[in-house]
Amino acid sequence: MITTRYDEVVTPYTSAYLDAAPNVSNVKLQDVCPAELTDHIGIAYNDLATRLVFNALDPDHAQRPTC
């Protein structure tokens, strides 16, 4: 689950987090890039979020996200 501290739709943003499980990762964009200001709608178009998804889908070829 990828969240943002600046989500104005899912409030509080932490309510989007999934319960802990072996196949679950909850990631807040600001934990990866503290200056990231993306909101709810922006996650779908955000390069950082896209990189995190690609890394999760293909961990053998993961690349460090750029902030």
Side-chain angles (χ1 to χ4, degrees):
M1 178 57 72
I2 300 174
T3 63
T4 175
R5 173 184 326 202
Y6 301 105
D7 198 320
E8 69 286 347
V9 177
V10 178
T11 57
Y13 70 88
T14 54
S15 65
Y17 289 156
L18 300 173
D19 292 334
N23 61 340
V24 170
S25 295
N26 293 304
V27 179
K28 180 173 58 180
L29 292 178
Q30 290 76 25
D31 287 344
V32 179
C33 295
E36 182 61 59
L37 299 175
T38 299
D39 62 4
H40 182 88
I41 299 297
I43 287 178
Y45 306 99
N46 182 270
D47 290 338
L48 171 58
T50 301
R51 173 52 43 207
L52 294 172
V53 170
F54 286 161
N55 287 350
L57 292 173
D58 189 7
D60 290 339
H61 298 99
Q63 298 175 21
R64 182 182 173 118
T66 55
C67 296

